[in-house]
Amino acid sequence: MLKVQGLRAGYGAINILWDIDFQISEGEIVAILGSNGAGKTTMVRALTGMIRPSAGTVEFNGEDLAKKSSRYILEKGIVQVPEGRQIFTEMTVLENLEMGAFNKKTREAFQENLKTAYQRFPRLEERSRQAAGTLSGGEQQMLAVARALIGMPQLLILDEPSLGLAPNIVDDILQVASDMARKDNISVLLVEQDITKALACADRGYVIENGRIALEGSSAELSANEHVKKAYLGI
Ligand code: ATP
């Protein structure tokens, strides 16, 4: 469903991503792995229209989205949970979730999707009237994921969901990502620095180093790869 070829992007005159090729099928969980500054977030920005690629194609369900606006890309079903969550702290949990319904289709389906989101994250229902800024870090991440689900994604991009969270909460969030992929056929692009957790959850992965794809393979292949073990897993 998503096929990226020859993607180049950066900031002004500085190019960060070099000829990135990767793909995701329907219902697949794909991890993008790499250390600080490797270019993962830049890749997410290029896929979601927040920066314009200087070369390459981002084919999504047969249409090239490489030069499209972020609004257009969102309408097509690529929804992102940004790094750092970016929830509206002064607004209630429910109001934040309402912000996820960004067009007619998602507004019409809001009540039904809200029910599903609350089933997945019962804590959010208990706290629906509470200001989002008063939630714990883990709950805020759950809210950010739930808000993305209200947007009815075909492809959900999770950018560093583990950042600053306790390991058991990260497991809960990755479990929801797995459920969405397995039960609802949503594709998940998981951008993570916690490589052990990412590979435990994903079907396949790509390792980015210095803005290039250095390695790709199934999660089992990457976990067994000597370079991955040494450089990222510390074993
Ligand atoms: P992290 O895990 O630390 O977020 P990352 O793999 O997501 O790392 P990026 O944020 O994509 O890395 O950064 C890749 C490179 O792009 C870095 O060298 C960074 O300094 C540079 N960069 C990121 N944002 C900008 C910007 N707005 N302007 C200029 N350079 C930037």
Side-chain angles (χ1 to χ4, degrees), residues 21-214:
D21 292 341
F22 77 96
Q23 46 192 351
I24 309 180
S25 307
E26 227 172 81
E28 201 178 25
I29 305 179
V30 169
I32 301 289
L33 313 168
S35 46
N36 274 326
K40 304 181 298 298
T41 297
T42 304
M43 198 173 102
V44 171
R45 289 190 182 130
L47 292 179
T48 53
M50 289 163 76
I51 57 173
R52 191 154 289 202
S54 55
T57 52
V58 176
E59 201 182 299
F60 187 62
N61 294 327
E63 181 181 2
D64 184 14
L65 300 180
K67 305 275 184 219
K68 303 288 188 191
S69 69
S70 46
R71 173 73 197 198
Y72 187 88
I73 293 170
L74 181 65
E75 291 277 355
K76 291 290 161 183
I78 301 184
V79 181
Q80 179 196 2
V81 179
E83 187 175 4
R85 296 147 210 158
Q86 295 175 21
I87 60 163
F88 303 99
T89 53
E90 309 280 307
M91 290 165 60
T92 66
V93 168
L94 180 60
E95 285 164 350
N96 268 275
L97 292 171
E98 284 166 354
M99 298 295 285
F102 61 88
N103 62 7
K104 191 163 176 274
K105 181 177 152 206
T106 51
R107 276 195 293 276
E108 281 172 1
F110 178 70
Q111 286 306 331
E112 199 179 319
N113 290 329
L114 182 66
K115 221 165 103 187
T116 312
Y118 281 161
Q119 276 163 4
R120 288 207 163 108
F121 301 109
R123 189 71 67 85
L124 296 181
E125 184 166 20
E126 287 162 25
R127 314 217 156 187
S128 63
R129 306 275 163 203
Q130 196 171 314
T134 64
L135 297 177
S136 72
E139 290 163 352
Q140 290 188 16
Q141 183 69 59
M142 289 174 193
L143 177 58
V145 174
R147 183 179 58 191
L149 291 180
I150 298 286
M152 300 170 78
Q154 275 187 58
L155 170 64
L156 179 72
I157 302 181
L158 294 173
D159 195 358
E160 307 263 5
S162 74
L163 217 64
L165 300 184
N168 59 330
I169 296 180
V170 178
D171 291 340
D172 287 350
I173 286 169
L174 294 183
Q175 185 57 50
V176 170
S178 292
D179 285 353
M180 286 180 326
R182 309 292 172 241
K183 294 183 191 149
D184 303 333
N185 228 17
I186 295 173
S187 307
V188 178
L189 185 66
L190 175 61
V191 178
E192 250 310 330
Q193 267 191 57
D194 186 332
I195 293 190
T196 309
K197 284 202 187 296
L199 288 178
C201 171
D203 302 303
R204 292 189 300 114
Y206 296 84
V207 178
I208 301 195
E209 289 176 355
N210 299 318
R212 296 174 195 273
I213 303 280

